Amino acid sequence: MKDILTAPFVKEMKNTTANMYRLGWDERNGGNISYMLDESEVAEYLDLSQVIRTIPTGFDAKPLIGKIFIVTGTGKYFKNVQDDPENNLGIIRIAADGTTAELLWGYKDGGKFTSELPAHLMSHMARLKVDPENRVVMHSHPTNTLAMNFVHELDEKKLTHTLWEMCTECIVVFPDGVGVLPWMLCGNNQIGQATAKKMEEFRLVIWGMHGIYGAGKTMDETFGLIETVEKAAQIYMLTAHMPRINTIKDSEMMELAEAFGVEYRKDFLDL
């Protein structure tokens, strides 16, 4: 059996968490990632019949029974994943009851998955209905995106439109726009349910005055979605206090979207 530390999915988690910490998106133990894995690939590294322990999830995820995820740990710092993945990450399988996680590897110090796992599982379930290839849910606190929450209306159409205006690539990268939730208490099922509802329509959901959730087929796609929003928010924050002389017109955004063949939210443009 191959060494689990050489597995591509472990390397992806190590590299992505390191990048997110380096960019200042995930201070202290802020942020979390869950990544659905292919069972046959995991079986090359782990004996799937060996369950280390079981952990209640606090949520009924019956549609995900048997699915395997690698998930960041609760209270863990992204900066430590690179050097100590076995304590800071865990590989879990949703058990037959739908409400228990079977630990297959990781959380070696007795820890467990992020407290926001129910929100992640709800988002996975919502996205899989829209896109059966969805694999990743990522939560972080990008600085400029968060700052923008305090000075811009938290309205999905208005916020998406502003972000689309900031970079030519934006309407192409996230043509489905950005969902928005008001400030809510985190770490509970209520915010998870609200996020999952938005995930039926958007791959990106902003948690007001908190951060952002992204979902995608791959780690790169999901990281890239959040990265593009953060770049647009940075440009907005650098220019919001100054008179705007130039902008990308709605007709030009439509031209962009249609040139690249993406399905975009026409109702988010004023044409």
Side-chain angles (χ1 to χ4, degrees):
M1 198 160 284
K2 300 176 185 177
D3 180 357
I4 186 68
L5 296 180
T6 67
F9 47 84
V10 172
K11 290 181 178 178
E12 281 186 281
M13 289 291 277
K14 287 166 61 176
N15 292 337
T16 302
T17 51
N19 266 334
M20 293 169 79
Y21 182 79
R22 176 182 57 81
L23 290 165
W25 295 2
D26 296 276
E27 70 294 334
R28 200 174 182 271
N29 62 319
N32 28 77
I33 303 173
S34 61
Y35 180 8
M36 186 187 300
L37 306 177
D38 181 80
E39 182 177 324
S40 61
E41 186 177 16
V42 181
E44 296 179 26
Y45 301 90
L46 297 174
D47 180 351
L48 300 183
S49 68
Q50 295 298 309
V51 176
I52 298 169
R53 54 189 164 96
T54 58
I55 312 169
T57 63
F59 169 66
D60 188 349
K62 281 192 173 63
L64 299 175
I65 287 172
K67 299 295 186 184
I68 298 173
F69 299 85
I70 186 167
V71 187
T72 51
T74 186
K76 302 302 185 183
Y77 292 27
F78 273 24
K79 70 182 181 69
N80 295 331
V81 175
Q82 190 90 30
D83 293 332
D84 191 6
E86 196 167 4
N87 273 326
N88 293 283
L89 301 174
I91 295 177
I92 61 170
R93 178 174 56 208
I94 304 303
D97 64 2
T99 62
T100 305
E102 298 172 335
L103 181 62
L104 303 174
W105 174 85
Y107 309 140
K108 190 177 179 181
D109 59 0
K112 65 175 189 175
F113 41 74
T114 170
S115 62
E116 289 175 1
L117 181 67
H120 279 250
L121 296 179
M122 291 179 206
S123 289
H124 278 288
M125 288 161 56
R127 287 307 306 168
L128 285 167
K129 290 177 184 175
V130 179
D131 180 0
E133 295 183 10
N134 189 86
R135 291 292 178 272
V136 179
V137 171
M138 185 180 291
H139 170 56
S140 64
H141 309 153
T143 306
N144 292 284
T145 304
L146 185 54
M148 189 176 175
N149 284 194
F150 291 90
V151 297
H152 193 286
E153 289 177 80
L154 291 178
D155 173 271
E156 288 168 350
K157 177 178 179 178
K158 292 177 182 177
L159 187 66
T160 296
H161 191 278
T162 297
L163 292 169
W164 281 352
E165 287 180 307
M166 294 300 108
C167 303
T168 295
E169 66 177 348
C170 283
I171 196 170
V172 177
V173 174
F174 52 97
D176 42 346
V178 178
V180 177
L181 290 175
W183 185 92
M184 297 177 70
L185 182 65
C186 57
N188 61 32
N189 287 2
Q190 286 70 37
I191 195 168
Q193 290 161 353
T195 305
K197 184 66 179 173
K198 292 291 184 184
M199 282 280 181
E200 295 174 2
E201 189 176 353
F202 303 99
R203 291 172 297 157
L204 291 158
V205 180
I206 283 176
W207 284 8
M209 285 67 72
H210 182 145
I212 192 167
Y213 255 65
K217 298 180 180 69
T218 66
M219 198 75 81
D220 272 353
E221 179 192 3
T222 314
F223 182 92
L225 284 169
I226 296 174
E227 185 178 33
T228 307
V229 168
E230 173 64 359
K231 180 62 172 288
Q234 181 182 22
I235 294 169
Y236 175 81
M237 293 304 296
L238 287 169
T239 59
H241 61 291
M242 295 185 284
R244 187 182 296 184
I245 298 172
N246 304 301
T247 195
I248 304 172
K249 300 180 181 70
D250 284 43
S251 59
E252 293 167 336
M253 286 190 269
M254 180 183 72
E255 184 181 358
L256 263 169
E258 294 182 356
F260 281 88
V262 295
E263 291 291 327
Y264 64 102
R265 290 291 301 259
K266 295 180 177 65
D267 55 323
F268 281 9
L269 293 179
D270 296 315
L271 297 169

